[in-house]
């Protein structure tokens, strides 16, 4: 579909520091992204500007400098550690005479390489097509002409209009297929609700060690690698955390700073597993010097998928690298807030299993409650507490609500509203 100058993986990386914090990116992470995509990094060009330049983003002088560098090193593509507009990409490709890919396109390419399942491939293709639909005009030099000639005369569409129509048809087709997958996932979630098994999801920044921890707890043999976005397809396994308590553990895709919006939308059905979990294990690389900033990025994505109200337990992973002893940090009320462990060596996993068992047996009330239409205030308060896992309405208009709420929050709610809910909750955890 695109007239490209040449193909290959010999790349020059471009990073620009700006005074705008929202546009600022991490250079070392960018190098990891490029390496994960399979790029052969020839050189890294850096610059500083208060604000990006409208035409070339980095300024004409810097663009000419990179052009000479690309010619000298025989680079195949130039990767930008920033989101470029379609016109900026087009202008840069014309100037540099080689392929130009921005940060969003690079992440999409990595996702395309990692997708293994049918659903994962559809989700990545959907995100790619949505991204591509905004950039069609830069791929052609003849879009102003209508098709003509023998066998090409048609209704008068320009090539651009034809491409947009074909893209729209493909996107619509993929959405229909994904809708079927979403229904299948929802059936699976309903089955787990009926089986009264709580779900725990692993979330965290990419390459924090979620899949390694998942394998350590489940022996599932999920693919792990020291690279960004090694896991795209969610995996669920039943785990026994003590003799009489089982949970469903879900391994999910890692997050990253400025995760492309199209990817979040395309993976919404996958991320729904996270949004409907009873507990989130936020896995953090304890040896990462940027761990606080990356934890904030994870929180931002959780808010984006409406999972920020779910109770979280922080897992400080990779303690073996610096010889940190496994331990549990408690808050002022005596509740576990952070567990230090090593998923690679297994040190501290017993602390995690013990805390999970204690959390679901003593701290949480999991079950179903029926509320009348007149009890709308109580229903709203349950939503505010993030206690509603699922809700449906029966033929008489009553709310059938699946609850997962901390026992102390339930007791506090009962005292404040002068109601007694606990006796009405069926299949409540002891």
């Amino acid at each position: 579909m695109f007239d490209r100058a040449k193909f290959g993986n010999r790349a020059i990386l471009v990073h620009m520091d700006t005074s705008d914090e929202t546009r600022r990116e991490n250079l070392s992470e960018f190098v990891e992204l490029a390496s994960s995509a399979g790029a052969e990094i020839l050189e890294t060009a850096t610059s500083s500007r208060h604000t990006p330049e409208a035409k070339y983003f980095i300024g004409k002088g810097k663009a000419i400098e990179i052009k000479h560098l690309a010619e000298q090193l025989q680079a195949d593509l130039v990767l930008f550690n920033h989101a470029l507009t379609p016109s900026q990409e087009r202008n840069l490709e014309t100037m540099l005479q080689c392929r130009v890919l921005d940060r969003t396109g690079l992440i999409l390419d990595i996702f395309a390489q990692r997708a293994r399942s049918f659903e994962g491939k559809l989700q990545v293709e959907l995100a790619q097509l949505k991204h591509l639909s905004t950039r069609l005009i830069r791929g052609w030099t003849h879009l102003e002409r209508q098709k003509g000639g023998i066998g090409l005369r048609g209704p008068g569409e320009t090539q651009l209009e034809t491409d947009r129509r074909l893209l729209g048809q493909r996107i619509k087709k993929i959405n229909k297929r994904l809708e079927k997958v979403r229904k299948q996932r929802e059936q699976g979630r309903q089955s787990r609700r009926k089986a009264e098994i709580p779900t725990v999801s692993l979330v965290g920044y990419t390459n924090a060690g979620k899949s390694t921890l998942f394998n350590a707890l489940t022996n599932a043999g999920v693919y792990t690698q020291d690279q960004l976005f090694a896991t795209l397809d969610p995996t669920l396994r039943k785990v026994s955390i003590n003799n009489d308590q089982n949970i469903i553990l879900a391994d999910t895709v890692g997050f990253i700073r400025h995760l492309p919006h199209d990817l979040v939308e395309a993976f919404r059905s996958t991320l729904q597993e996270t949004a409907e979990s009873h507990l989130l294990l936020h896995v953090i690389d304890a040896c990462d010097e940027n761990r606080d900033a990356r934890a904030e990025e994870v929180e931002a994505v959780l808010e984006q998928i409406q999972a920020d109200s779910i109770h979280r337990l922080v897992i400080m992973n990779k303690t073996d690298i610096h010889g940190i002893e496994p331990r549990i940090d408690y808050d002022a009320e005596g509740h576990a807030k952070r567990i230090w462990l090593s998923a690679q060596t297994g040190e501290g996993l017993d602390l995690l299993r013990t805390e999970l068992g204690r959390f679901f047996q003593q701290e949480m009330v999991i079950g179903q409650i029926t509320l009348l239409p007149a009890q709308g205030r109580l229903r709203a308060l349950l939503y505010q507490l993030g206690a509603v896992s699922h809700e449906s309405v029966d033929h008489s208009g009553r709310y059938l609500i699946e609850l997962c709420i901390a026992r102390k929050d339930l007791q506090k709610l009962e005292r404040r509203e002068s109601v007694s809910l606990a006796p009405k909750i069926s299949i409540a955890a002891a």
Side-chain angles (χ1 to χ4, degrees), residues 16-193:
M16 187 176 79
D17 287 321
T18 69
S19 56
D20 186 354
E21 177 61 30
T22 61
R23 288 179 175 270
R24 193 172 299 163
E25 302 290 358
N26 184 282
L27 179 56
S28 60
E29 181 178 87
F30 181 44
V31 173
E32 282 188 74
L33 279 171
S35 299
S36 295
E40 178 187 346
I41 302 173
L42 304 177
E43 190 69 58
T44 300
T46 60
S47 66
S48 297
R49 287 180 67 96
H50 287 297
T51 56
E53 199 247 2
K55 186 173 183 180
Y56 295 112
F57 188 84
I58 52 175
K60 186 175 181 180
K62 195 66 178 181
I64 292 174
E65 180 184 327
I66 294 173
K67 172 181 170 61
H68 295 323
L69 187 62
E71 291 173 348
Q72 178 186 348
L73 299 177
Q74 298 182 335
D76 301 313
L77 73 158
V78 177
L79 300 175
F80 277 74
N81 191 22
H82 311 275
L84 302 176
T85 66
S87 61
Q88 285 170 341
E89 276 197 23
R90 179 61 176 169
N91 293 336
L92 285 165
E93 285 195 346
T94 302
M95 160 73 79
L96 304 179
Q97 290 297 298
C98 65
R99 286 184 296 146
V100 172
L101 204 62
D102 70 352
R103 180 183 174 88
T104 300
L106 179 61
I107 293 174
L108 288 171
D109 184 82
I110 295 173
F111 270 60
Q113 293 182 47
R114 301 283 191 271
R116 294 290 181 268
S117 69
F118 174 70
E119 179 188 9
K121 291 176 181 178
L122 283 179
Q123 289 170 325
V124 172
E125 184 181 356
L126 178 61
Q128 286 179 317
L129 291 178
K130 287 184 175 180
H131 182 68
L132 179 63
S133 64
T134 65
R135 284 162 159 72
L136 272 180
I137 195 167
R138 73 180 179 86
W140 299 88
T141 58
H142 59 284
L143 293 177
E144 70 281 0
R145 300 202 302 268
Q146 292 181 341
K147 293 185 291 186
I150 298 174
L152 293 176
R153 296 182 180 90
E157 281 187 313
T158 63
Q159 185 67 56
L160 178 59
E161 289 168 341
T162 301
D163 292 338
R164 282 177 174 163
R165 177 169 51 81
L166 293 175
L167 271 180
Q169 290 174 353
R170 180 61 181 166
I171 288 173
K172 187 175 181 180
K173 186 175 182 180
I174 292 175
N175 276 323
K176 284 185 177 179
R177 291 184 177 180
L178 283 175
E179 186 57 35
K180 293 181 179 179
V181 177
R182 290 187 188 106
K183 290 180 179 178
Q184 292 172 353
R185 283 196 173 280
E186 181 57 32
Q187 288 175 353
R189 282 192 286 268
Q190 289 178 359
S191 298
R192 292 195 293 274
R193 291 189 199 106

Side-chain angles (χ1 to χ4, degrees), residues 95-306:
M95 160 73 79
L96 304 179
Q97 290 297 298
C98 65
R99 286 184 296 146
V100 172
L101 204 62
D102 70 352
R103 180 183 174 88
T104 300
L106 179 61
I107 293 174
L108 288 171
D109 184 82
I110 295 173
F111 270 60
Q113 293 182 47
R114 301 283 191 271
R116 294 290 181 268
S117 69
F118 174 70
E119 179 188 9
K121 291 176 181 178
L122 283 179
Q123 289 170 325
V124 172
E125 184 181 356
L126 178 61
Q128 286 179 317
L129 291 178
K130 287 184 175 180
H131 182 68
L132 179 63
S133 64
T134 65
R135 284 162 159 72
L136 272 180
I137 195 167
R138 73 180 179 86
W140 299 88
T141 58
H142 59 284
L143 293 177
E144 70 281 0
R145 300 202 302 268
Q146 292 181 341
K147 293 185 291 186
I150 298 174
L152 293 176
R153 296 182 180 90
E157 281 187 313
T158 63
Q159 185 67 56
L160 178 59
E161 289 168 341
T162 301
D163 292 338
R164 282 177 174 163
R165 177 169 51 81
L166 293 175
L167 271 180
Q169 290 174 353
R170 180 61 181 166
I171 288 173
K172 187 175 181 180
K173 186 175 182 180
I174 292 175
N175 276 323
K176 284 185 177 179
R177 291 184 177 180
L178 283 175
E179 186 57 35
K180 293 181 179 179
V181 177
R182 290 187 188 106
K183 290 180 179 178
Q184 292 172 353
R185 283 196 173 280
E186 181 57 32
Q187 288 175 353
R189 282 192 286 268
Q190 289 178 359
S191 298
R192 292 195 293 274
R193 291 189 199 106
K194 290 178 181 178
E196 306 167 19
I197 303 178
T199 301
V200 177
S201 287
L202 298 172
V203 299
Y205 211 79
T206 180
N207 207 25
K210 295 183 298 301
S211 294
T212 303
L213 178 59
F214 183 83
N215 286 337
L217 292 172
T218 65
N219 298 316
V222 169
Y223 174 74
T224 60
Q225 194 61 258
D226 186 17
Q227 59 187 17
L228 302 185
F229 301 116
T231 302
L232 283 194
D233 302 312
T235 307
L236 289 84
R237 292 288 187 277
K238 182 186 287 188
V239 180
S240 177
I241 52 179
N242 53 43
N243 292 333
D244 58 353
Q245 179 68 62
N246 292 321
I247 63 170
I248 297 294
L249 189 64
D251 187 20
T252 60
V253 62
F255 303 147
I256 196 169
R257 178 174 170 82
H258 293 158
L259 189 66
H261 179 73
D262 288 338
L263 272 178
V264 176
E265 285 300 312
F267 278 75
R268 186 161 293 278
S269 63
T270 299
L271 296 173
Q272 194 68 23
E273 297 287 353
T274 300
E276 296 193 8
S277 297
H278 298 97
L279 174 68
L280 301 182
L281 298 183
H282 183 175
V283 184
I284 298 176
D285 183 348
C287 301
D288 186 355
E289 58 183 18
N290 299 313
R291 68 189 190 192
D292 292 338
R294 293 184 170 184
E296 290 178 4
E297 293 295 331
V298 172
E299 292 296 330
V301 177
L302 290 176
E303 183 178 358
Q304 191 175 353
I305 63 174
Q306 299 179 341

Side-chain angles (χ1 to χ4, degrees), residues 256-385:
I256 196 169
R257 178 174 170 82
H258 293 158
L259 189 66
H261 179 73
D262 288 338
L263 272 178
V264 176
E265 285 300 312
F267 278 75
R268 186 161 293 278
S269 63
T270 299
L271 296 173
Q272 194 68 23
E273 297 287 353
T274 300
E276 296 193 8
S277 297
H278 298 97
L279 174 68
L280 301 182
L281 298 183
H282 183 175
V283 184
I284 298 176
D285 183 348
C287 301
D288 186 355
E289 58 183 18
N290 299 313
R291 68 189 190 192
D292 292 338
R294 293 184 170 184
E296 290 178 4
E297 293 295 331
V298 172
E299 292 296 330
V301 177
L302 290 176
E303 183 178 358
Q304 191 175 353
I305 63 174
Q306 299 179 341
D308 54 317
S309 62
I310 301 174
H311 188 85
R312 285 185 283 294
L313 180 60
V314 175
I315 307 298
M316 303 300 290
N317 190 25
K318 305 185 183 181
T319 57
D320 56 300
I321 296 179
H322 290 317
I324 302 173
E325 288 295 321
R327 69 177 190 270
I328 300 179
D329 295 340
Y330 296 93
D331 61 19
E333 297 180 357
H335 299 109
K337 65 175 184 178
R338 191 179 294 113
I339 300 179
W340 299 74
L341 55 78
S342 170
Q344 187 69 41
T345 65
E347 296 177 337
L349 289 181
D350 54 333
L351 298 178
L352 175 57
R353 290 192 181 94
T354 300
E355 183 55 37
L356 286 174
R358 190 174 73 88
F359 179 84
F360 284 107
Q361 287 189 344
Q362 300 177 14
E363 304 256 339
M364 300 300 294
V365 175
I366 302 172
Q368 185 182 81
I369 189 171
T370 302
L371 297 181
L372 299 174
Q375 295 176 292
R377 171 182 166 80
L378 186 57
R379 172 175 169 268
L381 291 172
L382 289 172
Y383 268 100
Q384 288 179 12
L385 291 171

